[in-house]
Amino acid sequence: MLWRLIRSGLAPHRRALSVIVVLQLVSTIASLYLPNLNADIIDHGVAKGDTGYIMAVGAVMLAISVVQIAASVYAVYLAARIAMAYGRDTRAAVFHRVGEFSAREVAQFGPPTLISRSTNDVQQIQMVVFMALSMMVGAPIMMVGGVIMALRTDVGLSWLVAVAVPLLAIAVGLILRRMLPQFRIMQTSVDSVNRILREQITGIRVVRAFVRERFEEDRFAQANQSLTGAALSVGRLMSVVFPIVMLILNLSMVAVLWFGAHRIDAGDMQVGALTAYMAYLIQILMSVMMATMMSMMIPRASVSAERIGAVLDTESSVIPPTGSTPEPSTPAQVTFENVEFRYPGAEHSILSGISFTAEPGRTTAIVGSTGAGKTTLIGLIPRLFDADGGRVVVGGQDVRDVEPARLWAHLGLVPQKPYLFSGTIASNLRYGKPDATDDELWEALRIAQADEFVGALDGGLEAHVAQGGTNVSGGQRQRLAIARAIVRRPDIYLFDDAFSALDTATDARLRAALRPVTREATVIVVAQRVSTIIDADQIVVLEDGEIVGLGRHDELLESCPTYQEIVVSQRAAQEVTTR
Amino acid sequence: MSGEGVVTAEEKAAAQRRGPGARRPGGPPHMQLGMPGEKSMSFGPSAKRLLGWLAPDRARVLLILALTVVAVGLASVGPKVLGKATDSIFAGLLGGQFAGRVPAGTTRQEVIDQLRSQGQGNIADLLSGVDFVPGQGIDFSAVGRVLLAVLLIYVASALFMWASGWVLTGVVQRTMFRMREAVEAKLNRLPLSYFDGQPRGELLSRVTNDIDNVSMSLQQTLSQLLNSLLTVLAVLGMMFWISWLLALVALVSIPISVLVTAAIGKRSQKLFVRQWAATGELNGIIEETFTGHQLVKVFGRQAEVERTFAAKNDELYTAAFGAQFVSGIIMPTMMFVGNLNYVLVAVIGGLKVASGQISLGDVQAFIQYSRQFTQPLTQVASMANLLQSGVASAERVFEVLDAPEQTPDAVAPVADAGGAGHRGEVRFEDVSFSYDETKPLIQHLDLVVQPGQTVAIVGPTGAGKTTLVNLVMRFYELNGGRITLDGVDITAMTRHEIGRASCRERVSCCV
């Protein structure tokens, strides 16, 4: 997976990659040549006492060193550029893919892990790519070069290389193999810690209001301990690598001297050659060591690659149609035809046999107890999910046949939990209609009963909105979310429990103000409060995912037991006589 | 958890009032500067502070030091002893060349004198530095003994190094545990305004990405750093022992290395700070987009969001590339310095061996030392890269830890609260409170809620209804007057007790 991910990501940089290889080649050969020159100095300069020769060769060594650094620096430049570009492109790919997800996929992963996969995991791979490019390309070249030079110097000792190198590779390989599963555990622990922290930060008010700090601290402490434990295992394994590598390296030196001495004695080898051979062996083993150090980062990056791959390989369950797509007609009627929906692997359907029509110019209300499937139902219209059975028809077209962007252009959604984005009031209101004028914004605010409080804010439309809209109250957030939908002037309004935070008076005023605006639009309102829906042209009563009542308030009050229960449980309904 | 607000905007708007550009990443409000996220890094103090976190494991740190000193000491003696083997071989080689050419029993000095008188001064000079026995070849038993000693030295060194690494891992991870714990506990003491002052993802990045980075940096740098520094010292010692001239040559490379590293390091510091700040900002965008995923889609904003993302992503790319490149130059530069060293040693050493002033084995050991010397220097330099990145992240974590907290609870929980029983009487006595001094909200309010009573608070938006509840919960501090719960001033109670008392008696304490 890691290899696949890296390979596809690095494909556009092929030319720069080959330049790096050439540069590393030059740099490595330069490094390898120096001991050769040193041997030269010893054998021809020192042994003969020729000082002039020593100086001359020394000058050559200097020149080669300069070439070496020039090549190295340029290689680092290219490596940094490529690796960071790779990181940028991978982040963008993940972001784009998540953007394509339907609500189901996002819920399946959960935002916290998607977030850490986008940044944390990409960072891991990015570092590996950088390390690999700047060093690992040099390592095999160095090794091959070193082997060649060593063989040229003395073939008789070459069996040492044949023993030492594989020994090193195997030793390190075994350790790495044990590290991989540990890294997986560690990354999962990282996920847990991140998730808990995110929950705590997001829900800080709830935590404090319910005095749950102690509980949260304990919960965090547990996750913290797991993470620490996993990191300990990994770290301890890693601490073995360096000593083993150094040991093998040094033992090889000893072996070279021993066996080399015999060869010298037999006249098969020169002393200068022995020195050079030792230097080459060091270089070979150093390159293997460098490679192993690099490869220590691989297990963790591998796990990260798995996690990123899981996201990139997940296809959205909501597939946009291809080819020419029809356009829903306006005004848009919304029809559910025998719709069924269930979560994958679930025994019971959330929704079954749902059939009703919401006419334009009419308000259709949907009521039912919590968990009856109301939000799911609304979510089927913008294709946040797809139905498992039956179909949803908007403006005469099956929603699955319409291009998503065209479909959404007809919709104005106010979700159950109003979410505002960081920015200003104006930027939030313009969310559905970027070119809306300030007048249009004020008009929408007026209808949503929000113009007064926005007007009183410092900066008015330009007042700051914190992420999630936490610096305004729940009621104000809802009204802003409603205004946001109104600005868009869609054909179809979807209000998912959008008036719950408003007091009854504001609720009534808002709906009254909304009426002229929605005269030709299809309005679908999910509500818990009877007073909100009492005027609706059509009420759909849901229970356990099925429609148990369909009609106007008065009819249902007589015919539908479930509806009666709901009304009775909200005694206020009987007190409300004003509309 | 939805984190919905408990306060109306009217009441709270003043508190959250910030000018344009309020959405600044990083730092609690009072620390924000003009440029987004631009803060110069003070490497020294921050690094020291970071190391200070290891303090509770002081004993173990000393143990690590001791183990490393032994390991490094052994490893640095190795080459010197190994050099003896080379000397032995060389001597044997040269001595063997005289076999059959000089009468048996001729001493070394005689051979040298003979050569000198024959006009071969150069060779005589060379031989005067070699401890050979004329006529005798390589003494393998001597060589064998030396090599065995070297073997044992290296094995022992490896074992000590392993032990040191083992303990170090424990220390680092325990430190990170403490740091994560401290940060999480800090979150519970920070005022709500701190959380509202920055995007969630930004804060989250500090407590996750940045801490992660610190952990990785510490783990990787500490072990190498200690090892390398001690190696440098030990090797330097050995080199001086062999030949002070050659050692001086090598010594020259230290200040050069330090200067180079410092100069490059200063530049990359800023870039690392920028890189991690950009990471935080990008994280903020990602977090917000993924959380509001539904809305982004249905309002058709996917393209726009991707554009914003791409802009910030590019920023991160530029910063990261700069940081990595600049700090990545350190290693090739150090290698160059090392090579220069090598050249000088080879030349000067060669000259000295030719004139008999040093043995060849010593030069070879010296070269090995030079390599052994520049290698840790190079490692230290490349660690600098990682360390800078880690310290940049550590600073961001410290910013969270340094943020001003909400007023702490009274130290001793008041016993009276238990004695009076949780009757649930709430009393506002001359309470005054405003979010913003220029816009007074609640002034001289008196209110008594008897136990068992249900009091409805109604009023237009912005009158201060929710604020009353928040004040009881002590989410904010009063400007004047006091609130008592069962006769006990709430400032004398721990928030825990307030919460318990008020949440039991009230129907719900948040929206």
Side-chain angles (χ1 to χ4, degrees), chain B residues 54 168-177 215 218-219 222:
Chain B
L54 299 171
L168 181 68
T169 306
V171 168
V172 169
Q173 289 311 320
R174 252 192 296 275
T175 305
M176 293 321 301
F177 178 87
S215 171
L218 270 184
Q219 178 78 43
L222 274 187

Side-chain angles (χ1 to χ4, degrees), chain B residues 230-280:
Chain B
L230 285 175
T231 307
V232 167
L233 285 174
V235 166
L236 208 56
M238 298 301 292
M239 292 198 321
F240 265 109
W241 185 18
I242 297 176
S243 156
W244 58 270
L245 182 62
L246 286 179
L248 277 178
V249 166
L251 213 54
V252 162
S253 56
I254 294 189
I256 295 181
S257 320
V258 168
L259 280 171
V260 163
T261 311
I264 297 179
K266 254 207 191 64
R267 264 170 248 272
S268 57
Q269 261 178 35
K270 294 203 192 81
L271 291 165
F272 271 118
V273 167
R274 186 65 211 126
Q275 178 188 347
W276 287 103
T279 304

Side-chain angles (χ1 to χ4, degrees), chain A residues 9 13 37 57 111 139 159 199 255 271 330 332 382 435-436 442 484 491:
Chain A
H13 303 282
L37 292 172
V57 176
W159 64 270
E199 281 178 12
V271 173
T330 35
D435 56 0
W442 282 113
R484 176 172 61 192
D491 297 322

Side-chain angles (χ1 to χ4, degrees), chain A residues 20-239:
Chain A
I20 290 184
V21 171
V22 169
L23 289 171
Q24 298 278 17
L25 201 70
V26 168
S27 167
T28 310
I29 291 179
S31 290
L32 286 175
Y33 202 49
L34 286 177
N36 214 22
L37 292 172
N38 187 21
D40 205 11
I41 288 184
I42 294 177
D43 292 334
H44 297 123
V46 173
K48 295 205 193 107
D50 185 350
T51 53
Y53 191 79
I54 293 177
M55 301 289 285
V57 176
V60 175
M61 280 175 91
L62 195 66
I64 293 197
S65 301
V66 171
V67 167
Q68 204 249 354
I69 185 180
S72 297
V73 168
Y74 191 34
V76 167
Y77 172 81
L78 288 176
R81 231 189 42 195
I82 294 178
M84 299 308 143
Y86 172 80
R88 175 196 61 195
D89 296 337
T90 309
R91 278 192 295 265
V94 173
F95 191 75
H96 181 76
R97 172 60 68 163
V98 173
E100 287 176 349
F101 280 176
S102 78
R104 199 188 284 217
E105 282 79 49
V106 173
Q108 176 190 319
F109 283 103
T113 187
L114 286 175
I115 295 166
S116 57
R117 288 177 203 220
S118 300
T119 48
N120 199 303
D121 286 300
V122 174
Q123 168 74 4
Q124 298 301 326
I125 302 188
Q126 185 177 268
M127 287 319 288
V128 163
V129 170
F130 177 66
M131 291 288 175
L133 289 180
S134 53
M135 292 185 227
M136 211 159 177
V137 176
I141 297 175
M142 212 179 211
M143 197 179 100
V144 169
V147 168
I148 294 177
M149 297 296 254
L151 286 176
R152 246 186 41 165
T153 310
D154 186 84
V155 179
L157 283 179
S158 57
W159 64 270
L160 266 173
V161 175
V163 166
V165 171
L167 192 65
L168 195 58
I170 291 175
V172 175
L174 281 175
I175 298 176
L176 286 184
R177 222 161 56 133
R178 290 195 62 184
M179 266 206 265
L180 196 65
Q182 293 297 328
F183 267 124
R184 260 193 216 108
I185 297 175
M186 196 174 99
Q187 210 62 4
T188 316
S189 304
V190 169
D191 258 354
S192 298
V193 166
N194 290 1
R195 193 188 64 237
I196 292 177
L197 281 171
R198 181 172 177 269
E199 281 178 12
Q200 287 181 359
I201 292 176
T202 311
I204 189 73
R205 281 178 171 77
V206 180
V207 170
R208 293 198 184 173
F210 284 93
V211 198
R212 296 285 270 174
E213 287 98 332
R214 201 54 36 85
F215 172 77
E216 288 298 325
E217 274 176 22
D218 288 341
R219 196 160 77 111
F220 179 80
Q222 263 183 8
N224 197 5
Q225 283 199 4
S226 307
L227 177 55
T228 306
L232 259 175
S233 309
V234 165
R236 292 207 157 128
L237 272 175
M238 263 207 254
S239 67

Side-chain angles (χ1 to χ4, degrees), chain B residues 73-92:
Chain B
L74 287 172
S76 41
V77 166
K80 171 71 176 158
V81 180
L82 205 64
K84 275 210 170 17
T86 313
D87 283 345
S88 199
I89 295 173
F90 197 43

